[in-house]
Amino acid sequence: MAETAETQQVDGKQAARAERRAARLAKQIGAFAKAHGGAEGQLAYIGQMGTRIVLVGEDGGWGDLVAPSYAVAESAAQKSGITMHESFDGEFAAKVHTGPYEWTRMAGIQIGGPANKA
């Protein structure tokens, strides 16, 4: 019996921690959406590290957050109220606007582009 009570207490603490983390992430998502005139998102599982919450603002700005689990990321997205997409393709991907920094960091380095002089 004692083990069951301890297990329930640990599970309760983990659930409370996950809920607090989801609330913090939802607040960050909301701040991003407010700064970019609204936002849409997509969840991408990244293995043991957790789940990436990819955000795209109405103005084309983008960013991401990492949640410790898919469940926490999903909860945060629901709490934030943004529109979520199943995949990052089509019209959703076309909303992303990249600048010189992204081109140098993501593509320029690999294809011999100019060095990033940030």
Side-chain angles (χ1 to χ4, degrees), residues 39-79:
E40 298 176 45
Q42 188 259 336
L43 303 181
Y45 178 70
I46 55 176
Q48 287 183 334
M49 292 191 62
T51 298
R52 181 178 184 210
I53 306 168
V54 180
L55 302 169
V56 179
E58 289 300 316
D59 63 357
W62 61 279
D64 66 349
L65 299 165
V66 176
S69 70
Y70 193 89
V72 170
E74 196 170 41
S75 176
Q78 286 177 339
K79 288 177 186 302

Side-chain angles (χ1 to χ4, degrees), residues 17-42:
R17 187 178 305 125
E19 186 62 30
R20 287 190 304 272
R21 180 66 177 163
R24 277 195 304 271
L25 287 166
K27 187 175 179 181
Q28 291 173 312
I29 293 168
F32 178 89
K34 184 176 179 182
H36 294 276
E40 298 176 45
Q42 188 259 336

